[in-house]
């Protein structure tokens, strides 16, 4: 199942060939890069890896249907490397499983690495830690597991056998939590060497927030550029701030549509050796599991070459553009404007956001002209004046001349900025997952929401 970032999840075939390619051309390459760039990761320390056992259903022919990303079942030979006991992966509720991930991670002062598929998972784990740290510290101190968790009796009994009272570690944790959560990761785990997770594309916002707050001074490595369709690129330059990926020519056969031809009925396509530095292209892939010249919707920019192979930066997804009058505002363009606006809101820290085009909500949108509704979850600020809200519209006008021209003409109405209550986007994630077969391991928040029920969900939680 695809992640459904652009609206709805799709079902694609995954074969042994595609999985082998990902391991040999992706995982092994990036492990070697990581070892060279971060030699301390070779130490015999455990990793707190945040992933969950997805619900797997079956087709009528008995073919399993689910995500094709790393799962506890596919990683069963590596579970001994992680702080989380294998039994935790039998816990069906993500909220309880996350609590146990955090509990066993906190017990290990010598933790070496935080890992997940995406930075969003790590970010929301720290949010949960901020909310539940007192309960977690109590469990560490007394060597028990909170009775609030919904666990099978045999699972609880087996996990509690792995616990023992540790008042010294509990006191150390309490002292660090009471100092606040800025830079908390290194204070909890002084030997932490690396955060290993994708922090580009829709996860850029979470990577930035982790680096600025919870995980200050901890190196990050964003290893892959990949999709459900297969491996696209690997990051050979982990110390560079901008995430650049070397295209993998043997993983999938790629063709490229120049950005200026995206709307053509029969756009011309280029091959890898025809690409030009500084130009942007949409990817088409042909893979070993049956996709033929398939447009995955990703736009990438060629930023250079490694030998003869292009290095690319992810730009945006076509299905996640704001477009009420043909202005086509990409996710990266909008996020840049939003970050600048938040800097002008004193005391505010961005947690998450999504946009809705007014046509989705009909009369409930409140303004006659087409416009954007922007739902923002903030920390440190519960109200915005009209002048502060307008800062976002102003920032986007500065960045997009086309949007500005439509605003001056009155063809696009003023942006409506709605603050939502604390925890809204975590609830939205759960709500979206209930509507699809997407696993928490592969979930990506939709930055442009196309379904009215999701837009209504946010509207009901506006402050």
């Amino acid at each position: 199942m695809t992640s459904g970032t652009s609206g709805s999840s799709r079902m694609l075939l995954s074969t042994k060939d595609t999985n082998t390619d990902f391991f040999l051309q992706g995982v092994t390459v990036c492990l070697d890069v990581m070892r060279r760039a971060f030699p301390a990761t070779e130490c015999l320390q455990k990793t707190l890896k945040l992933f969950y056992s997805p619900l797997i259903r079956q087709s009528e022919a008995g073919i399993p249907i689910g995500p094709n990303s790393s799962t506890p079942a596919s990683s069963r030979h590596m579970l001994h490397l992680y702080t989380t006991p294998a039994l935790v992966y039998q816990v069906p509720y993500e909220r309880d499983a996350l609590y146990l991930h955090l509990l066993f991670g906190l017990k290990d002062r010598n933790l070496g690495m935080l890992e997940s598929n995406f930075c969003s998972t790590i970010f929301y784990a720290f949010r949960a830690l901020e909310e539940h740290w007192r309960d977690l510290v109590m469990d560490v101190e007394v060597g028990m597991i909170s009775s609030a968790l919904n666990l099978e009796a045999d699972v609880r009994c087996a996990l509690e056998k792995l616990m023992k009272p540790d008042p010294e570690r509990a006191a150390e944790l309490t002292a660090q939590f009471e100092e606040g959560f800025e830079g908390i990761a290194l204070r909890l785990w002084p030997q932490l060497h690396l955060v290993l997770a994708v922090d580009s594309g829709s996860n850029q916002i979470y990577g930035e927030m982790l680096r600025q707050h919870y995980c200050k001074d901890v190196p990050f490595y964003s290893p892959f550029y990949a999709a459900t369709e297969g491996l696209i690129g690997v990051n050979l330059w982990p110390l560079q701030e901008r995430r650049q990926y070397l295209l993998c020519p043997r993983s999938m056969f790629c063709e490229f549509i120049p950005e200026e031809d995206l709307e053509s009925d029969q756009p011309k396509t280029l091959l890898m050796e025809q690409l030009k530095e500084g130009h942007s292209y949409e990817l088409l892939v042909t893979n070993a599991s049956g996709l033929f010249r398939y447009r995955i919707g990703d736009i990438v920019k060629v930023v250079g070459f490694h030998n003869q192979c292009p290095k690319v930066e992810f730009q945006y997804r076509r299905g996640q553009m704001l477009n009420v009058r043909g202005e086509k505002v990409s996710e990266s363009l909008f996020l840049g404007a939003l970050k600048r606006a938040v800097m002008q809101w004193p005391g505010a820290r961005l947690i998450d956001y999504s946009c809705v085009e007014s046509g989705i909500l009909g009369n409930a949108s409140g303004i006659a002209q087409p416009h954007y509704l922007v739902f923002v979850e903030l920390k440190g600020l519960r109200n915005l004046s009209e002048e502060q809200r307008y800062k976002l519209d102003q920032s986007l006008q500065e960045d997009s001349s086309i949007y500005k021209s439509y605003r001056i003409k009155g063809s696009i109405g003023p942006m409506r900025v709605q603050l939502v209550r604390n925890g809204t986007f975590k609830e939205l994630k759960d709500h979206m997952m209930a509507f699809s077969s997407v696993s928490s391991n592969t979930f990506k928040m939709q930055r442009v929401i196309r379904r009215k029920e999701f837009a209504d969900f946010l509207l009901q939680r506006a402050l």
Side-chain angles (χ1 to χ4, degrees):
M1 300 303 300
T2 67
S3 62
T5 316
S6 300
S8 58
S9 182
R10 293 198 173 106
M11 198 158 55
L12 302 175
L13 189 64
S14 179
T15 66
K16 200 172 286 186
D17 288 338
T18 51
N19 292 335
T20 302
D21 284 346
F22 197 108
F23 183 79
L24 293 177
Q25 297 182 48
V27 175
T28 54
V29 171
C30 290
L31 282 172
D32 184 57
V33 169
M34 184 176 76
R35 180 179 61 82
R36 293 168 188 268
F38 310 103
T41 56
E42 289 195 285
C43 297
L44 294 177
Q45 294 166 274
K46 290 207 169 186
T47 296
L48 171 51
K49 179 157 185 180
L50 295 164
F51 62 164
Y52 304 93
S53 295
L55 290 173
I56 302 290
R57 55 194 176 93
Q58 296 213 327
S59 71
E60 289 181 20
I63 299 170
I65 300 172
N68 69 346
S69 65
S70 167
T71 66
S74 67
S75 309
R76 60 189 179 279
H77 302 304
M78 298 177 67
L79 296 183
H80 63 284
L81 300 175
Y82 308 139
T83 52
T84 304
L87 270 173
V88 171
Y89 302 116
Q90 298 177 23
V91 175
Y93 303 108
E94 185 182 323
R95 180 185 67 90
D96 297 334
L98 174 56
Y99 185 97
L100 293 167
H101 275 303
L102 293 172
L103 175 61
F104 285 95
L106 289 172
K107 280 166 53 63
D108 187 350
R109 189 181 191 276
N110 297 310
L111 189 78
M113 188 155 55
L114 296 174
E115 181 182 353
S116 192
N117 287 353
F118 301 120
C119 268
S120 56
T121 308
I122 297 175
F123 174 75
Y124 276 102
F126 274 103
R127 294 271 291 160
L129 182 60
E130 200 166 358
E131 185 179 348
H132 299 294
W133 71 263
R134 289 179 178 81
D135 296 329
L136 287 158
V137 167
M138 179 62 73
D139 288 355
V140 171
E141 182 176 3
V142 301
M144 301 287 283
I145 291 174
S146 170
S147 59
L149 270 59
N150 184 10
L151 302 176
E152 296 286 342
D154 58 333
V155 172
R156 178 181 291 278
C157 181
L159 289 174
E160 288 194 335
K161 285 179 181 176
L162 302 175
M163 299 284 293
K164 64 178 181 180
D166 193 347
E168 185 180 339
R169 178 62 174 158
E172 183 182 12
L173 292 170
T174 300
Q176 297 304 332
F177 286 132
E178 288 179 344
E179 278 189 30
F181 276 77
E182 187 165 323
I184 189 67
L186 264 183
R187 289 189 284 113
L188 295 177
W189 301 294
Q191 308 303 317
L192 188 64
H193 303 303
L194 188 65
V195 175
L196 180 65
V198 171
D199 64 0
S200 53
S202 60
N203 276 270
Q204 178 189 340
I205 179 177
Y206 305 112
E208 289 175 355
M209 290 187 292
L210 285 169
R211 282 190 290 273
Q212 291 164 10
H213 190 58
Y214 297 118
C215 298
K216 261 189 167 181
D217 301 322
V218 182
F220 279 64
Y221 179 30
S222 180
F224 308 120
Y225 171 27
T228 307
E229 294 81 2
L231 177 67
I232 299 169
V234 290
N235 179 2
L236 302 187
W237 307 275
L239 300 179
Q240 284 189 12
E241 189 174 330
R242 295 181 72 91
R243 300 309 188 212
Q244 298 179 355
Y245 300 94
L246 181 70
L247 293 178
C248 297
R250 290 177 299 147
S251 174
M252 295 190 287
F253 181 75
C254 291
E255 297 173 79
F256 303 85
I257 301 174
E259 190 175 31
E260 59 272 19
D261 294 335
L262 295 182
E263 303 305 321
S264 302
D265 289 337
Q266 291 293 328
K268 64 177 181 181
T269 62
L270 303 175
L271 298 179
M272 206 173 274
E273 70 272 14
Q274 298 173 294
L275 304 186
K276 293 180 180 177
E277 186 172 342
H279 290 239
S280 295
Y281 307 89
E282 182 186 351
L283 281 169
L284 279 79
V285 300
T286 298
N287 70 6
S289 56
L291 291 177
F292 177 68
R293 309 194 82 194
Y294 181 77
R295 295 178 74 164
I296 64 174
D298 285 10
I299 311 299
V300 297
K301 181 179 181 179
V302 176
V303 293
F305 292 84
H306 177 72
N307 298 325
Q308 296 179 353
C309 198
K311 296 190 294 184
V312 300
E313 287 180 1
F314 177 87
Q315 298 296 295
Y316 59 90
R317 285 185 66 83
R318 289 187 70 203
Q320 287 282 277
M321 297 184 85
L322 288 162
N323 189 25
V324 295
R325 289 285 192 196
E327 70 282 7
K328 296 178 183 170
V329 173
S330 70
E331 179 184 334
S332 57
L333 185 66
F334 186 86
L335 179 58
L338 177 59
K339 288 193 292 188
R340 287 214 319 283
V342 172
M343 288 171 65
Q344 299 175 71
W345 299 340
R349 185 157 61 85
L350 180 64
I351 300 299
D352 224 328
Y353 81 97
S354 275
C355 305
V356 178
E357 295 169 356
S358 57
I360 301 288
L361 287 166
N363 294 333
S365 67
I367 303 174
Q369 307 106 305
H371 61 279
Y372 309 153
L373 285 88
V374 185
F375 295 93
V376 182
E377 185 176 333
L378 298 175
K379 186 161 187 181
L381 196 63
R382 287 186 58 81
N383 196 19
L384 290 172
S385 66
E386 285 305 314
E387 184 182 357
Q388 286 173 317
R389 291 169 197 260
Y390 183 65
K391 295 287 186 189
L392 178 53
D393 198 297
Q394 208 169 28
S395 292
L396 188 57
Q397 288 187 49
E398 290 168 5
D399 289 349
S400 170
S401 57
I402 299 175
Y403 178 76
K404 183 177 182 178
S405 72
Y406 280 123
R407 288 285 292 112
I408 290 169
K409 294 175 196 169
S411 304
I412 295 179
M415 203 182 293
R416 282 181 59 197
V417 178
Q418 298 272 15
L419 297 190
V420 294
R421 71 188 188 210
N422 184 41
T424 290
F425 279 88
K426 176 65 175 73
E427 294 171 18
L428 177 62
K429 172 191 168 186
D430 296 340
H431 188 65
M432 286 177 160
M433 285 174 56
F435 276 79
S436 70
S437 299
V438 176
S439 153
S440 186
N441 300 326
T442 56
F443 179 84
K444 295 176 190 168
M445 180 54 67
Q446 296 173 20
R447 298 303 175 202
V448 180
I449 287 176
R450 306 290 184 196
R451 290 178 64 162
K452 187 174 186 301
E453 59 264 40
F454 298 154
D456 288 337
F457 184 92
L458 287 171
L459 207 54
Q460 289 158 13
R461 284 154 181 78
L463 293 172

